[in-house]
Amino acid sequence: MARQIRRVRPIARAAADPITRAIADQIERDFGAFVPPFALHAGAPPLLAACWMMLRESLVTTHVDRRRKEAVATAVSRANACSYCVDAHSAAMHALGDGAAADALASSTAIAAGDELGALLAWGAATRTREDPRLLTPPFTAAEAPELTAIACCFHYINRMAAVFLAPSPLPFGNPRVKAWTRRLIGPVLRGQLERPLVPGDALRFLPDAPRPADLAWTAGAPTLTSAFARAAAAFDAAGVAVVPAAVRALVQARVDVWGGQEMPLGGAWLDDAVAPLVEAHRPTARIALLTAFAPSRIDDAAIAALRRPHEDDAPLLSLCAWASFTTARRLATWPGAAGVGRPSPLS
């Protein structure tokens, strides 16, 4: 699986620090393997902890089962054109009994929104675009809203990191028909792991407690999610402060605040215009941050080479991209309806 990671160096378990080994052990226990979307973060242990903590605590079943969460993960990933995550989580959907929907998502076929799963898939895709009317009628209850919003937020983050640092797919074949066959084949292997119950809060020990930022108010009513996302946000913010100049952070935040989910124009003129107000020394950092936020698949090795110093370790690049990814993901989770209260609970 290490061969699926690019642009950063995979870290062997024996060479990792004790915290990284402890996190990797928990990931293997709860997720089945120390898979590349987590392993790519190993060069920056607080970011590994933040990524794992967010997703792990989002997957705990309180009001929403794993099947529906995997559906949202796959729909968000397809909306972001993250083929790696679409392949991985459509395989999970197959394992949990939603093979037809999984095949449709993996093949870019339109998904009917008539039943509950179809409506949920449509909502997940809609979280990519601020003005999408599907956000205004979320197909879940108020009690379910924090868990589903958390999954969407996690995958808006993970999709960006995967686009920058991972191969196009975790599956060994490029042919769509062979991929579909592979999803069916591994389904029985995955099912038991996917249905394994998770104890709430078990990942919180990897980062210190932190106050909840105002923009994470959608976690209200789910104390473990509040704690997980607050701790993760503090880690991402600290990473940004450590490696991203203040002028670049301000520029990226301002751009994220007004972005509506639209695709960036082809070519680099928009990027040149965006970084023009900055001093020359800050422009390579700003380019990577803006591309990570808005068009991560367009990052190439030349752009990274312009940023990295010879023999530099991976932590600065990981910190930059993780900060930009989470800055965007947390903003998307606040869009009208993306963190909507949903329908009244039948028990309210």
Side-chain angles (χ1 to χ4, degrees):
M1 287 192 289
R3 288 178 298 193
Q4 297 173 13
I5 299 175
R6 57 181 182 163
R7 296 173 178 152
V8 292
R9 293 170 287 275
I11 295 178
R13 180 71 63 87
D17 64 272
I19 292 296
T20 299
R21 289 199 298 270
I23 298 170
D25 288 345
Q26 190 179 88
I27 293 172
E28 288 187 343
R29 183 196 73 190
D30 290 347
F31 211 76
F34 189 38
V35 292
F38 301 123
L40 73 86
H41 293 80
L47 302 181
L48 171 62
C51 177
W52 169 238
M53 185 180 298
M54 288 194 306
L55 184 57
R56 194 259 182 208
E57 300 305 331
S58 298
L59 289 173
V60 172
T61 296
T62 302
H63 299 286
V64 183
D65 63 22
R66 184 68 176 264
R67 166 182 168 267
R68 294 172 70 202
K69 291 179 180 182
E70 292 293 343
V72 170
T74 310
V76 170
S77 299
R78 188 169 89 157
N80 286 326
C82 179
S83 58
Y84 189 100
C85 294
V86 168
D87 284 346
H89 293 278
S90 62
M93 289 181 66
H94 254 288
L96 294 171
D98 290 313
D103 287 340
L105 284 164
S107 64
S108 299
T109 302
I111 301 293
D115 60 10
E116 182 185 23
L117 186 64
L120 193 61
L121 291 168
W123 175 85
T127 63
R128 173 63 167 71
T129 307
R130 183 172 57 196
E131 301 300 329
D132 195 310
R134 293 174 296 182
L135 289 177
L136 301 178
T137 54
F140 42 77
T141 67
E144 294 168 332
E147 290 178 60
L148 291 169
T149 303
I151 290 292
C153 184
C154 283
F155 279 88
H156 283 301
Y157 171 80
I158 291 171
N159 293 162
R160 285 165 170 77
M161 296 296 283
V164 178
F165 295 112
L166 296 183
S169 175
L171 301 180
F173 311 106
N175 183 285
R177 290 185 179 180
V178 179
K179 280 187 178 182
W181 176 82
T182 304
R183 284 193 293 272
R184 295 185 183 91
L185 182 68
I186 64 178
V189 178
L190 291 175
R191 187 179 182 103
Q193 185 66 41
L194 293 168
E195 292 181 338
R196 185 178 183 275
L198 300 175
V199 177
D202 215 17
L204 297 182
R205 59 191 170 95
F206 295 123
L207 288 173
D209 196 11
R212 186 192 74 188
D215 66 334
L216 298 182
W218 54 264
T219 64
T224 303
L225 285 179
T226 295
S227 186
F229 275 79
R231 293 170 194 232
F236 289 123
D237 287 346
V241 169
V243 303
V244 186
V248 175
R249 296 199 309 274
L251 171 67
V252 173
Q253 187 67 67
R255 293 270 174 160
V256 167
D257 286 346
V258 299
W259 184 56
Q262 66 274 18
E263 296 292 336
M264 293 297 104
L266 295 176
W270 69 272
L271 196 55
D272 293 338
D273 291 344
V275 304
L278 300 173
V279 299
E280 185 66 34
H282 291 170
R283 290 176 187 173
T285 300
R287 287 178 180 274
I288 295 293
L290 289 165
L291 285 169
T292 300
F294 304 128
S297 63
R298 299 190 201 177
I299 292 178
D300 57 24
D301 292 338
I304 291 177
L307 176 69
R308 301 186 80 168
R309 295 186 292 272
H311 311 300
E312 185 176 55
D313 66 27
D314 293 328
L317 178 62
L318 284 167
S319 295
L320 169 62
C321 293
W323 172 80
S325 294
F326 187 68
T327 295
T328 309
R330 69 194 292 179
R331 177 60 175 157
L332 267 60
T334 69
W335 283 353
V341 296
R343 302 188 304 262
S345 169
L347 301 180
S348 61

